């Protein structure tokens, strides 16, 4: 049982992790990638105080090194669900689960919105984890929405199980599994009755039994049932507390301005709030 | 007329100033000192992300250099009042005044609470500016509460004017003006009727016509009439907006945690909120 689970490795996640470590809390830390792609792609940052000018690449290096110096390392695994039971939180991570007393969401905002219908059919045809749920679709029809080359092995595993697999890549240079049927269109909606039945692409439709969404993150409202969001941002108060006691959020996922300094500040605040929360429950 | 006036030169003020400058806003920036004393006195900072370990002194240098690189310089003068007129703000600074369309308060929290009675007798015996109000007390009885050696020249000026001057130092190594009467006690209350009449030190009392409080800052609620505070902190929303439209606040003055990262984050947010406010009023 960890004190705090952090989801996300951008500036907010790093700031939260650093503070929790210094405050002697046990931390488990997950993210689809080891650092922030958004920071990495920033050519020149001029408003992170104390660095008059720094490239995103260089800042990412320094942030990662700061965390590593404290013995903190991100596990590059995607958390696919967070469930509360008896005041604790269980995180589903690929085909494992871990428990923590509190959670800090720092999942960024590049995540965009979930697909139309994604939340609705979660657990009824929508899955985020090939190894967890793949066997449910043996000899069935599935769609695979995939956003990065690194999930191709999962897609390959699914294509080996399913009777028909639609491979829907959202990146360049993809290599589809041999028996997959590639669809190069944008999904507009997931639809069905009690269970998912169709993946819609505008006027066209593919009939499926399920869809696997392999994109390195799960949108917060899908990840945590009952989490309050507004316009795609997690609603938090001045202490970075969400509407769910014990769950905090920091960084771009809580809203504008999308700024490194703001994320770092909120990561700090969320960590201190989590520590206070842990103190009060003892 | 400036776009934004910033009060305070700690991490929040610096972060706000940097962002406003980069966003091409005109800035006037005041503080009792050129950087944060609190940061300066930090032996070792381990949780300002991207600096695994840095002394407060070194961080202050880097922060100041960042601002200087952008052509930003703090005016080491104390703002003694902020008044709204026709949607603009007038700042009284020693014996000048400047106007700005918006204000960001980053005045820190080491300020502590005002004296009991300080707000009540403001303008009726309580003054913060020797050169502005000194002449009102010619041949009268005054008290001088003084917190730093650098205000001794102001105290000397006042002692030259007044008939009786009680010199109440709150620092070590003071040098009282020749004709001053030194009191080494803690002020417990300012009292009187329509005007200030007494400075109380527990059971003892000094009768005065006025008191000069020379401490390098003015507490926010005294500085800005009608500013909402709670437990000594300025109340702000998630955008760092105070209850007064056009006035924002950031850093320790808005509440805990008292952390550099939080202050930097809020300075960033306040700057962006001020820019949005400026855009909307045009």
């Amino acid at each position: 049982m960890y004190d705090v689970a952090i989801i996300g490795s951008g500036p907010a996640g790093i700031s939260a992790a650093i503070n929790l470590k210094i405050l002697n809390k046990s931390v488990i830390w997950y993210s689809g990638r080891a650092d922030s792609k958004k920071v990495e792609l920033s050519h020149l940052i001029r408003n992170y105080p104390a660095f008059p000018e720094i490239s995103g690449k260089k800042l990412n290096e320094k942030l990662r090194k700061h965390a590593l110096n404290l013995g903190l390392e991100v596990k590059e695994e995607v958390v696919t669900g967070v469930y509360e039971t008896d005041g604790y939180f269980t995180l589903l991570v690929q085909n494992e689960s871990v428990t923590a007393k509190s959670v800090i969401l720092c999942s960024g905002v590049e995540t965009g919105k979930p697909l139309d219908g994604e939340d609705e059919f979660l657990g009824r045809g929508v899955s985020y984890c090939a190894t967890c749920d793949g066997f449910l679709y043996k000899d069935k029809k599935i769609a695979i929405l995939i956003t990065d080359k690194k999930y191709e092995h999962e897609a390959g595993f699914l294509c080996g199980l399913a009777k028909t697999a639609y491979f829907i890549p959202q990146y360049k240079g993809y290599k589809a599994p041999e028996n997959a049927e590639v669809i190069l269109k944008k999904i507009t909606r997931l639809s069905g009755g009690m269970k998912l039945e169709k993946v819609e692409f505008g006027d066209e439709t593919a009939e499926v039994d399920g869809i696997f969404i392999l994109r390195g993150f799960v949108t917060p409202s899908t990840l945590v049932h009952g989490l309050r969001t507004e316009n795609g941002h997690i609603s938090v108060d001045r202490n970075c507390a969400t509407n769910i006691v014990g769950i905090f959020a920091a960084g771009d996922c809580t809203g504008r301005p999308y700024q490194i300094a703001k994320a770092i500040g909120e990561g700090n605040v969320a960590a201190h709030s989590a520590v206070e929360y842990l103190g009060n429950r003892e």
Side-chain angles (χ1 to χ4, degrees), chain A:
Chain A
M1 170 81 68
Y2 293 92
D3 289 323
V4 187
I6 302 173
I7 301 174
S9 60
I14 287 176
S15 182
I18 287 170
N19 280 279
L20 290 167
K21 186 76 183 187
I22 290 173
L23 295 167
N24 279 323
K25 297 301 167 190
S26 63
V27 171
I28 180 95
W29 189 12
Y30 293 106
S31 181
R33 52 173 280 162
D35 55 19
S36 162
K37 191 170 178 184
K38 209 163 163 185
V39 172
E40 192 78 12
L41 295 176
S42 298
H43 174 61
L44 186 68
I45 296 157
R46 295 172 68 203
N47 67 342
Y48 186 53
F51 291 102
E53 298 197 335
I54 188 166
S55 69
K57 203 173 156 63
K58 190 82 193 162
L59 183 57
N60 255 352
E61 271 172 34
K62 285 183 181 285
L63 291 171
R64 200 162 48 226
K65 198 175 155 197
H66 192 161
L68 277 171
N69 274 7
L70 291 166
L72 291 158
E73 209 158 350
V74 177
K75 285 179 183 287
E76 285 189 60
E77 289 170 25
V78 178
V79 179
T80 56
V82 176
Y83 302 92
E84 192 176 353
T85 34
D86 299 328
Y88 297 105
F89 299 98
T90 299
L91 283 73
L92 300 185
V93 189
Q94 323 266 58
N95 40 0
E96 297 180 348
S97 71
V98 299
T99 54
K101 294 175 191 166
S102 65
V103 177
I104 301 180
L105 302 170
C106 309
S107 44
V109 80
E110 50 251 294
T111 60
K113 287 191 200 170
L115 296 174
D116 187 1
E118 181 174 331
D119 286 0
E120 187 187 346
F121 292 106
L122 177 64
R124 298 188 294 128
V126 169
S127 173
Y128 301 105
C129 178
T131 46
C132 324
D133 299 335
F135 70 94
L136 296 171
Y137 297 93
K138 191 164 159 45
D139 298 327
K140 298 206 169 173
K141 282 189 189 178
I142 59 166
I144 303 166
L145 176 67
I146 177 168
T147 63
D148 194 292
K149 199 158 195 63
K150 69 180 173 187
Y151 307 120
E152 285 178 0
H153 70 278
E154 287 191 61
F157 167 75
L158 291 169
C159 291
L161 282 171
K163 186 174 75 183
T164 309
Y166 301 109
F167 184 88
I168 311 163
Q170 297 199 323
Y171 58 102
K172 288 182 181 161
Y174 65 87
K175 187 159 180 288
E178 272 190 14
N179 51 341
E181 194 173 313
V182 176
I183 300 183
L184 296 176
K185 285 174 188 154
K186 196 174 149 32
I187 297 174
T188 52
R189 191 165 163 242
L190 305 179
S191 60
M194 285 300 291
K195 298 191 74 175
L196 177 69
E197 291 165 7
K198 290 174 189 168
V199 176
E200 300 181 17
F201 307 88
D203 294 340
E204 293 176 60
T205 291
E207 293 196 2
V208 298
D209 298 299
I211 183 170
F212 285 82
I213 300 177
L214 308 178
R215 66 179 155 205
F217 61 85
V218 178
T219 50
S221 56
T222 307
L223 191 67
V224 188
H225 184 72
L227 186 69
R228 189 176 300 142
T229 60
E230 198 179 329
N231 300 322
H233 297 131
I234 302 170
S235 302
V236 291
D237 65 13
R238 291 263 316 151
N239 301 317
C240 292
T242 70
N243 65 311
I244 298 175
V245 176
I247 300 187
F248 305 87
D252 288 0
C253 65
T254 71
R256 291 177 188 279
Y258 300 149
Q259 295 277 321
I260 294 167
K262 180 222 176 223
I264 293 234
E266 290 189 354
N268 182 304
V269 171
H272 284 85
S273 295
V275 169
E276 194 180 333
Y277 168 75
L278 293 168
N280 289 341
R281 50 180 284 160
E282 270 158 20

